[in-house]
Amino acid sequence: MSTQSSTTEERTGIDEIHILWISEGMSCDGDTVSLTAADQPSIEDVVLGLIPGLPKVNLVNKVLSPSLGGEDFLAPYRAAARGDLKPFILVIEGSIPNQRIIDGEGYWTSFGNDPETGQPQPLNWWIDQLAPKAFAVVAAGTCATFGGIHAMAGNPTGCMGLADYLGWEFRSQAGLPVVNVPGCPIQPENFMETLIWVLQHAAGTAPPPPLDHMLRPQWLFGKTVHEGCDRAAYYEQADFGKDYNSPKCLVKTGCWGPVVNCNVPKRGWMAGIGGCPNVGGICIGCTMPGFPDAFMPFMDEPPGATLSTLAVKPYGAVIRRLRGLTNDMVNHEPKWRHNKQKLTSGYNPHYRP
Ligand code: SF4
Ligand code: SF4
């Protein structure tokens, strides 16, 4: 899907920009915590201006903020809501509750207080004020992108993802739709790569980030977990683990990797280490729009897996046997490598090409 828009209002070529990060959606703040683990590049590198070609970045995030808190911390948000601070990128963490179902009676989640009434300012008010004024709007984590755990069946808040709230046709000042970076939590470098792309777009040195039909960065979410899994060869050979201690394929213990879009097994989690199935954790589909309901109960074999593993069994058994024989063969040295008196390597001194 193309994210280019002829309605772009904000010019690129920006040399200084704010990132206004609000983590007051329904969330555990895990995406902010995860972000602190990024090192290719780190958020510190971006804020300190160590990445060539990016605008100067002023990050405002409650965990990473140097402010004293309170109104000092809220000042840039208030200025942006008034239209006095721009350009800025709005990052939302956590799912968006439905205020309409309580019809003005209280609030589900808030961010600061209304200076006039002293009452908590609902998150939804901030999104309504800030999103239309933002250069770009980024949803960090599965809660903000698709609703996540808080939006599962039976929830009382009616919460949803940011694009559900703003509309999938929403366009920011730069003509971009909501940029979705799912993950429970975000994989740190996945988020940083996306942010860098948006910043380069702001600087005028990159086109809009290419997004898929669910507004995820295509280059990060275009492949399945299975396609990048360390254990995929075991699957192909129909060699399935029966418990979590096994180094073999985990599909029989509940791994959804073959049908989930995520690059974590390829990329690892921190500094390339980890990555769910690589280290013994089944994939529960945490990056997916249908998460968690579509993937529950988590520990059971996924519905399609019985059939697909049955189909791969005869092929896998033959392949495993043949590979075992070939592996045995190539695990021996050639017979001419010896310390006897006679050369048996087949050397021919009269050989002419
Ligand atoms: S552990 Fe999961 S992702 Fe890895 S090979 Fe098995 S089914 Fe695929
Ligand atoms: S491998 Fe699966 S469980 Fe792990 S981060 Fe990716 S989608 Fe989530």
Side-chain angles (χ1 to χ4, degrees), residues 187-236:
Q187 198 284 346
E189 270 81 33
N190 277 356
F191 186 84
M192 288 306 298
E193 267 184 30
T194 309
L195 183 64
I196 297 285
W197 194 312
V198 173
L199 288 169
Q200 284 180 331
H201 182 53
T205 55
L211 307 177
D212 69 11
H213 72 293
M214 295 309 290
L215 306 181
R216 298 168 290 201
Q218 281 172 355
W219 76 98
L220 298 173
F221 295 92
K223 297 276 190 299
T224 64
V225 170
H226 191 70
E227 285 165 338
C229 181
D230 279 359
R231 300 171 188 242
Y234 287 107
Y235 184 103
E236 190 208 12

Side-chain angles (χ1 to χ4, degrees), residues 183-185 225 260-265 269 275-277 282-288:
C184 189
V225 170
V260 168
N261 295 85
C262 175
N263 64 351
V264 155
W269 200 264
C276 307
I282 55 170
C283 171
I284 57 173
C286 80
T287 57
M288 299 297 276

Side-chain angles (χ1 to χ4, degrees), residues 9 18 25 39 41 48 68 96 106 109 120 127 193 201 223 227 274 290 295 303 329 336 338 341:
E9 290 174 27
H18 274 69
D39 64 1
L48 293 173
L68 299 173
I96 322 302
T109 176
I127 295 173
E193 267 184 30
H201 182 53
K223 297 276 190 299
E227 285 165 338
F295 301 93
M329 189 178 82
W336 61 83
H338 54 72
Q341 222 162 10

